Amino acid sequence: MIYFDAAATSFLKPDTVREAMDHAFDTVSSVGRGAHPPALAAGRTVLRCREQIAALFGLSDPSRVCFMHNATEALNTAIFGLLDPGDHIITTALEHNSVLRPLYCMEEAGAELTVLPADEKGRIVYADLEAALKPNTRAVVCTHASNVTGNVLDLQRIGAFCRKHELLFVVDAAQSAGTLEIDMHKQGISVLCFTGHKGLFGPQGTGGICVSEGVFVRPLKVGGSGIHSFDRYHPYQYPEALEAGTLNVLGLAGLSAGLEFIQKIGVSTIHAREDKLARRFYAGIASCPNVLVYGDLDAPLRTATISMNLAGEDAGAVADALAQDYGICTRAGAHCAPRMHDALGTDGLVRFSFSYFNTEEEVDTAIRAVCELAGG
């Protein structure tokens, strides 16, 4: 089996992730639910993971890293916890439904929403930010990288716009965390939402939200916190403010191991290897007959995602043929990003997304498979 679906889940992970979870299974219980050795071990595990996330994303205070189940929960928490009816929000056509659907809910509740359009290559025009600005504009909410095309948005530029106009800047880093450099302070990010099971090499059920100093996010859920149990209201200090309930400590042990791997290898090294594989694949299929490739393939900075179709063929049928006849795992469909497909003029694509653990030999096998299917 050849796995080219890293944009969905990093099925290929360092061995240390499994080892860390196995060790945690035998040694940890719950954070803040006791002072016995398993509880203290859980606390140390989670604290270490907080510190690793803060260091990776340029956040000075690790207590402002709040763990959740995935980027979807983090984005819902950020959007519903920062914005109010009457606010105006700017987003883009590149967004995943994890951004769009909470924003649509806010729009129905009385907020205003502007979606910056994308062109036929999935690119936005940054001048549209200024044109979209209104007196009641409160925030820009956007992805760092498209999960469909691999196109990357310029966070530095958008962050400067937000600083200039004193706006909140909420970033969906589901596709970029661990593979692209992120610095919340330098890029002016107010809230960063991430998932653990993609580029961070952690297991499913891990992720979180990083909140900059001076930003307060209302909790999406309240309940048990392990502290201040006699208080009527949920604690307001971070991280407990956004971590009601029991944390996935086993998962965070695995995420911590994934983060340690990234620290050792380096984000830039990981990106360079993945980018080389993606560009090798694109170069190999670009000349095949009937192959249509989408996105801004000339951009110097991209994630390792290449989406394509075979002219006249259903994307699902192509992905099935790749899996059944060649043992190649890809992702077909709309990828939960309907506005991106509207911009590209498609109703579905076959997405190849590459991992640090893939090889050039696997890429070459995929090139041959696509060209055979295109010619057949």
Side-chain angles (χ1 to χ4, degrees):
M1 183 188 72
I2 299 175
Y3 188 82
F4 289 141
D5 197 16
T9 292
S10 57
F11 179 78
L12 306 171
K13 303 182 193 292
D15 292 338
T16 51
V17 172
R18 180 197 300 270
E19 293 164 4
M21 294 181 71
D22 285 345
H23 178 71
F25 188 86
D26 293 327
T27 57
V28 307
S29 60
S30 294
V31 180
R33 270 62 172 182
H36 47 71
L40 295 176
R44 287 190 292 269
T45 298
V46 172
L47 176 60
R48 181 169 184 266
C49 198
R50 279 193 220 285
E51 292 172 341
Q52 290 170 303
I53 289 289
L56 182 65
F57 297 141
L59 184 64
S60 59
D61 183 359
S63 72
R64 301 181 77 85
V65 176
C66 305
F67 290 117
M68 296 176 182
H69 295 103
N70 44 50
T72 298
E73 185 178 4
L75 286 161
N76 274 260
T77 299
I79 291 168
F80 294 131
L82 289 170
L83 305 174
D84 296 294
D87 289 342
H88 173 239
I89 307 115
I90 301 172
T91 190
T92 81
L94 279 68
E95 307 309 316
H96 190 277
N97 276 333
S98 295
V99 170
L100 293 174
R101 285 174 173 167
L103 289 178
Y104 294 154
C105 290
M106 288 301 306
E107 189 176 33
E108 291 178 1
E112 296 181 65
L113 181 63
T114 295
V115 181
L116 303 185
D119 66 12
E120 71 282 356
K121 289 190 175 182
R123 302 169 298 192
I124 68 166
V125 177
Y126 290 97
D128 288 347
L129 286 166
E130 290 285 354
L133 194 66
K134 296 183 178 184
N136 61 329
T137 303
R138 173 71 171 152
V140 175
V141 183
C142 70
T143 188
H144 189 185
S146 167
N147 72 316
V148 177
T149 63
N151 290 3
V152 174
L153 291 182
D154 188 341
L155 296 189
Q156 194 78 27
R157 188 168 182 175
I158 301 172
F161 168 80
C162 291
R163 279 177 169 152
K164 176 183 176 182
H165 297 288
E166 299 182 340
L167 306 178
L168 294 167
F169 185 21
V170 179
V171 174
D172 172 9
Q175 292 297 314
S176 60
T179 61
L180 297 178
E181 299 285 356
I182 298 173
D183 189 304
M184 292 181 65
H185 177 70
K186 291 181 180 179
Q187 294 168 324
I189 300 170
S190 307
V191 173
L192 185 81
C193 301
F194 66 93
T195 195
H197 71 280
K198 299 178 191 275
L200 298 182
F201 298 118
Q204 292 97 326
T206 60
I209 184 171
C210 300
V211 184
S212 292
E213 292 285 345
V215 177
F216 178 74
V217 180
R218 297 183 299 266
L220 184 67
K221 55 186 180 181
V222 296
S225 60
I227 63 171
H228 304 313
S229 295
F230 287 101
D231 291 353
R232 180 181 180 91
Y233 299 105
H234 195 78
Y236 63 86
Q237 70 266 34
Y238 293 110
E240 290 84 7
L242 301 180
E243 288 186 347
T246 300
L247 293 176
N248 176 10
V249 183
L250 297 182
L252 295 177
L255 177 58
S256 179
L259 290 163
E260 183 176 3
F261 177 84
I262 293 168
Q263 289 169 333
K264 288 180 179 178
I265 302 298
V267 172
S268 61
T269 300
I270 290 171
H271 175 260
R273 176 173 173 79
E274 293 180 349
D275 185 64
K276 183 179 179 181
L277 294 173
R279 293 184 188 276
R280 182 185 185 96
F281 177 70
Y282 171 61
I285 66 170
S287 60
C288 295
N290 303 315
V291 173
L292 308 173
V293 184
Y294 300 86
D296 185 5
L297 280 302
D298 296 323
L301 183 64
R302 298 176 39 79
T303 58
T305 293
I306 305 290
S307 288
M308 51 142 286
N309 272 328
L310 299 184
E313 300 292 338
D314 176 74
V318 173
D320 285 347
L322 287 167
Q324 295 174 18
D325 299 338
Y326 298 93
I328 298 172
C329 302
T330 62
R331 167 81 186 276
H335 310 92
C336 303
R339 287 179 177 264
M340 187 78 274
H341 285 273
D342 289 344
L344 299 174
T346 74
D347 58 5
L349 296 169
V350 182
R351 183 184 69 188
F352 291 74
S353 49
F354 302 92
S355 164
Y356 179 83
F357 293 103
N358 287 129
T359 67
E360 291 184 352
E361 291 75 18
E362 289 176 330
V363 170
D364 291 344
T365 297
I367 292 170
R368 289 192 294 272
V370 169
C371 291
E372 285 179 11
L373 291 173

